[in-house]
Amino acid sequence: MQVPEYVIDASSIIYGWDNYPIAQFPGLWEWLATQIAEQYLIIASVAFDEVDDNSPECAVWLNGAGITKIIPQNAILQDARRMMRLLGIMNDDFHPKGVGENDLIIIASAKSFGRPLISDESRQKVPDLPKKRKIPAVCAMPEVTVQCINFLEYIKKSGMVFR
């Protein structure tokens, strides 16, 4: 079964890789490879770089599956800067408990492609200080409006049964 088209964050594909080992869940990874081959699942290049830095074996698998990497063009970078302003982030003064520059590029990439984002960053009560918001809270902002689900929700929404 095919699910809607999504952009996946490094946190989610690494979560899947670590918690659903390919040797024990081959059907899941075969299905993900199909989703990737049909471009139902793509990744921002900055997220892919994070995967490569943190889970090189997963990055090799993604490349082997032929994942499409979104290279941030000017419109994506401008939208990420707009989000920085919305969060009150000036002069790259990111809060350690909030999103980073790559996170905003990932959100802007999903928005530019009109796709929901799969992210396993923690859900949080919206912090008083906007720059403390993580990916799901930024996605939920009325000025951003990108649907954000986690890896397990993605699998459940697919309706797939793996045997």
Side-chain angles (χ1 to χ4, degrees):
M1 173 184 276
Q2 179 255 320
V3 296
E5 300 172 341
Y6 288 88
V7 171
I8 193 162
D9 181 32
S11 63
S12 288
I13 196 66
I14 292 171
Y15 169 86
W17 189 258
D18 290 346
N19 290 285
Y20 301 94
I22 198 166
Q24 292 177 276
F25 297 90
L28 170 63
W29 293 94
E30 289 166 11
W31 173 73
L32 287 170
T34 300
Q35 296 301 296
I36 289 168
E38 295 177 3
Q39 295 191 341
Y40 294 126
L41 192 59
I42 61 178
I43 193 167
S45 62
V46 294
F48 180 85
D49 293 344
E50 290 176 15
V51 173
D52 196 30
D53 290 344
N54 294 290
S55 183
E57 306 83 19
C58 182
V60 167
W61 184 87
L62 286 170
N63 270 332
I67 191 119
T68 297
K69 299 172 190 103
I70 304 166
I71 308 300
Q73 302 298 321
N74 187 50
I76 290 172
L77 296 174
Q78 290 303 318
D79 199 27
R81 283 190 180 83
R82 178 185 68 85
M83 290 179 215
M84 282 176 62
R85 288 189 299 276
L86 288 171
L87 296 169
I89 299 168
M90 303 297 184
N91 302 317
D92 293 333
D93 183 29
F94 291 92
H95 196 283
K97 293 186 178 178
V99 292
E101 184 175 20
N102 283 354
D103 297 329
L104 295 176
I105 292 170
I106 292 162
I107 296 167
S109 296
K111 188 168 181 67
S112 75
F113 276 73
R115 293 182 177 204
L117 178 62
I118 305 168
S119 176
D120 275 79
E121 279 207 349
S122 59
R123 304 310 194 247
Q124 61 188 154
K125 179 181 174 234
V126 179
D128 293 334
L129 186 61
K131 64 167 91 175
K132 285 185 177 180
R133 293 179 184 175
K134 294 191 173 292
I135 288 175
V138 173
C139 287
M141 293 172 62
E143 305 88 347
V144 178
T145 61
V146 171
Q147 181 189 8
C148 186
I149 64 172
N150 66 32
F151 188 78
L152 188 54
E153 290 169 322
Y154 172 66
I155 293 170
K156 288 178 179 179
K157 279 181 173 268
S158 77
M160 288 296 297
V161 175
F162 303 101
R163 299 192 191 280

